[in-house]
Amino acid sequence: MSPPVVAVPAAAADGLDAACRWLDGMNAEVRTDARVVPLESLAGWHCDAGAGVIEHASGRFFRVEGLRVEYPGHEVPTWDQPIINQWDVGVLGVLARELDGRVELLVQAKPEPGNCNGVQISPTVQATRSNYTQVHGGRPVPYLRHFTEAPPGAVLADVLQSEHGSWFLRKYNRNMVVRVHGDVEVLPGFRWLPIEVLHGLLAVDDLVNMDTRTVLSCLPSGPAGRTSVHSLQDVLSWITEVRSRREISSATLPLNELSGWERRGGRIRHVTGRYFEVIGVEVRAAGREVARWSQPMFAARGTGLVALLLTRVEGVPHVLLQLRREPGLAGGAELAPTVQCTPALYEDAPELRRPPFLDDVLAADATAIRFDTTLSDEGGRFYHTRSRHVIVETERQVEHPDFRWVAAHQLDQLLWHSGYLNVQARSLVACLRSLEPALRAVGDR
Amino acid sequence: MSPPVVAVPAAAADGLDAACRWLDGMNAEVRTDARVVPLESLAGWHCDAGAGVIEHASGRFFRVEGLRVEYPGHEVPTWDQPIINQWDVGVLGVLARELDGRVELLVQAKPEPGNCNGVQISPTVQATRSNYTQVHGGRPVPYLRHFTEAPPGAVLADVLQSEHGSWFLRKYNRNMVVRVHGDVEVLPGFRWLPIEVLHGLLAVDDLVNMDTRTVLSCLPSGPAGRTSVHSLQDVLSWITEVRSRREISSATLPLNELSGWERRGGRIRHVTGRYFEVIGVEVRAAGREVARWSQPMFAARGTGLVALLLTRVEGVPHVLLQLRREPGLAGGAELAPTVQCTPALYEDAPELRRPPFLDDVLAADATAIRFDTTLSDEGGRFYHTRSRHVIVETERQVEHPDFRWVAAHQLDQLLWHSGYLNVQARSLVACLRSLEPALRAVGDR
């Protein structure tokens, strides 16, 4: 793997080289092969063609259910879809340390069955609660006690944040950053990376995984200018107003009764071939551990696009966010990127109205594109599912009734709390911070 | 009505007298009679003895459903109960103005069928969304446009907050305070009250209604000392940790299948006679408007107790809060008062373990009791349902694993956001601020 061609502080350049060599070595050492198989043949899972729910024989892990969504006034006012119901709250935890004034994070090179490549950079800990409380037995999760037994004052971030609201039903993960002092043993597959190096690696396609990106977004960044287009109270008031409308509602229903979806060729697919499919995967992991298992996965049709318009007001970076209602979000609406869609849908389905600002992003001048990397969605549930992450700088501070310019320092305030930014917005916030030295510092709030 | 015997600023004493005279006048003018009738006889409601759900024939207003709660590890690990499902989000809005440096709030003297007395002090606006969007016709809600069309910068508070998590299923109200400049017509039944007067009136039993108390709690208070026993990050981390355990879950089931509950004498009651009853009420309102309607209501058995232990750390007031899981809370756990229970339950049911700190409150020395007033729960849904509100000052800064001392200025930060403090805690925060001049100032955050 070649180091990315990005502007990084000189001190980080060597680190980038070293990190790329480490990842090459890890790819040679560990390997996860995932083979797509018919849902009917998934060992251990109840998923006959007539199944109303796909679930594991043990009742563990997660279930795929059917959902009927009502969204009056929306372009598509009602639709059916499969959705993942995973009631367990996971911990996504990153250990941080300061070394000679530099912040370093302990990351793991981890393969996942859904990855389109080999290993990706993962948090120190990425575990579900039933996993780490070992109710089902199994080996202890490395480094977990640093998170579950963090001393007062050591916690830099600890917040429940939503996962994909279109594919998960009310799923939340606990995003944690804990500061450690003194020595921590570095286990095989783990490595301390300076935060500048991690920021540099974000510019490599499919390398820093989604869980790492969301934790990075929750890390407090340094204080920026106090200027903002809207006061934080006015941003919060906008969120409250939209949420109080309760415009989206949903109810579960059996998978085999979903309108517009069919079970064909061992998968569940939309009759138009659009959106996503539910597929079966047989996994064979080799390396330090050998394991085999089967599981259903979601596979998106087409690469997604998540994009931010970025502008500066009196030098303070602002991004344009929308409030997006997604059926799986418990609060009903969260702040989302300027653009969040699958662009191919608007070529294949011209009856759909193009989302606002999509063309501003797709037609942006190369000099205005500050970030453009395709990154993977969570490889434990999503198969070869990727989104192009784009940040476009503009001087056109356009206003739109359904969008607001939010200052970077306001994002920091919002990310201290649960449920304000959706996972796509958080992923882009991590990318944004990689661009903005002023936003990089790690400090207490 | 006599003005309360409380220490108020001299300027507020006259205001208290005047407010009491106004309320006496309002009680002579408007009147709401509520007569308890059998559920079977409620006009317009489907509630035969065999009904699985009690609902209005029009599908409007709210429904009473059955709920089965699972709470493993709790003293009572599973129970059934009726619960109110009201999907509509209400607006509880108070207009504020500054006059000669004094903050005044526009309140309404409003009767409600559940009130044990006559009128109580209510917010400027107390309306459900379907009410104020007039989807069902009806007259416009006075003052509503000040809230729905508040200009930027005028909003002092705007946040969705939970209602009773034991009696409402995921019900949220939008708590708003909006500042107005210039003249606003004062309609009959409304009055500007200086905030000191409103604080003084909190010391009168059953006078300042629950909706007013929750809005008052969301009003930003002045900056207090920065000292705190725990950092805000550590308080948030505690909340995140408890919420991520997902220890409480529930599912609806038909009312006539609830274990431990019976339909008898036209009501739904627990077989032990404890907890609460679902009753029918026929309402006749007379005054400026004449109206008659019928509705089901919840009637608590016994007076509740909600209490805060208060201490000072380097002069900064701190209160002792617990994280309480309630079946109707969407987030599963919110900060609750030091004590929140029905004390009579522990006399009648000695098999129940007495809640922590209950005896510290019940046996508190009179000189330590800073606040002690019995206040009504929401009179639109709860019949003669009241809680004694107590604040006890202590020098014993006891630690308990399930409780935290939280500084008053931290409450202010938390109340800026949805879902951190339950309605009982918010009600007590309003009472606390009435005691603490340093907490009274209204400013921007």
Side-chain angles (χ1 to χ4, degrees), chain B residues 398-426:
Chain B
V398 61
E399 292 289 343
H400 184 294
D402 299 329
F403 289 74
R404 294 288 185 282
W405 289 104
V406 180
H409 59 84
Q410 293 178 323
L411 295 176
D412 205 43
Q413 293 294 308
L414 295 170
L415 283 162
W416 209 5
H417 303 280
S418 188
Y420 282 123
L421 269 75
N422 77 357
V423 68
Q424 291 85 354
R426 298 199 308 279

Side-chain angles (χ1 to χ4, degrees), chain B residues 133-321:
Chain B
T133 54
Q134 300 182 263
V135 286
H136 307 297
R139 299 183 321 157
V141 175
Y143 303 108
L144 183 71
R145 65 167 186 82
H146 289 283
F147 299 93
T148 54
E149 298 165 24
V155 175
L156 297 176
D158 187 0
V159 59
L160 290 178
Q161 296 290 14
S162 64
E163 298 283 294
H164 292 73
S166 295
W167 295 333
F168 277 117
L169 192 61
R170 291 189 277 278
K171 166 112 176 71
Y172 285 82
N173 277 326
R174 186 175 177 191
N175 288 243
M176 294 186 80
V177 182
V178 170
R179 181 162 29 197
V180 286
H181 298 286
D183 273 353
V184 171
E185 187 192 1
V186 177
L187 298 171
F190 290 84
R191 190 180 178 96
W192 286 105
L193 288 186
I195 197 163
E196 297 84 359
V197 170
L198 200 48
H199 280 149
L201 293 173
L202 269 168
V204 182
D205 280 357
D206 303 299
L207 190 54
V208 177
N209 86 352
M210 197 197 77
D211 290 344
T212 307
R213 301 192 308 268
T214 168
V215 178
L216 280 177
S217 78
C218 296
L219 196 59
S221 69
R226 293 294 104 182
T227 301
S228 61
V229 171
H230 306 284
S231 72
L232 188 56
Q233 177 60 74
D234 284 343
V235 172
L236 291 173
S237 191
W238 172 51
I239 297 172
T240 299
E241 196 276 319
V242 171
R243 285 184 176 172
S244 70
R245 287 194 229 140
R246 291 277 168 105
E247 282 166 324
I248 193 167
S249 64
S250 63
T252 52
L253 81 168
L255 280 171
N256 52 355
E257 292 177 17
L258 294 181
S259 166
W261 294 80
E262 60 184 6
R263 181 79 171 246
R264 210 164 81 182
R267 9 184 111 195
I268 299 173
R269 62 191 291 278
H270 196 261
V271 291
T272 61
R274 294 177 195 151
Y275 312 116
F276 64 90
E277 296 182 341
V278 185
I279 62 171
V281 170
E282 236 175 53
V283 189
R284 215 184 151 129
R288 285 183 312 281
E289 302 166 44
V290 178
R292 299 182 70 143
W293 73 90
S294 298
Q295 65 171 90
M297 298 192 89
F298 277 30
R301 302 284 300 162
T303 300
L305 173 68
V306 293
L308 289 176
L309 287 185
L310 166 71
T311 197
R312 279 161 220 280
V313 180
E314 298 175 23
V316 175
H318 282 66
V319 294
L320 190 63
L321 299 178

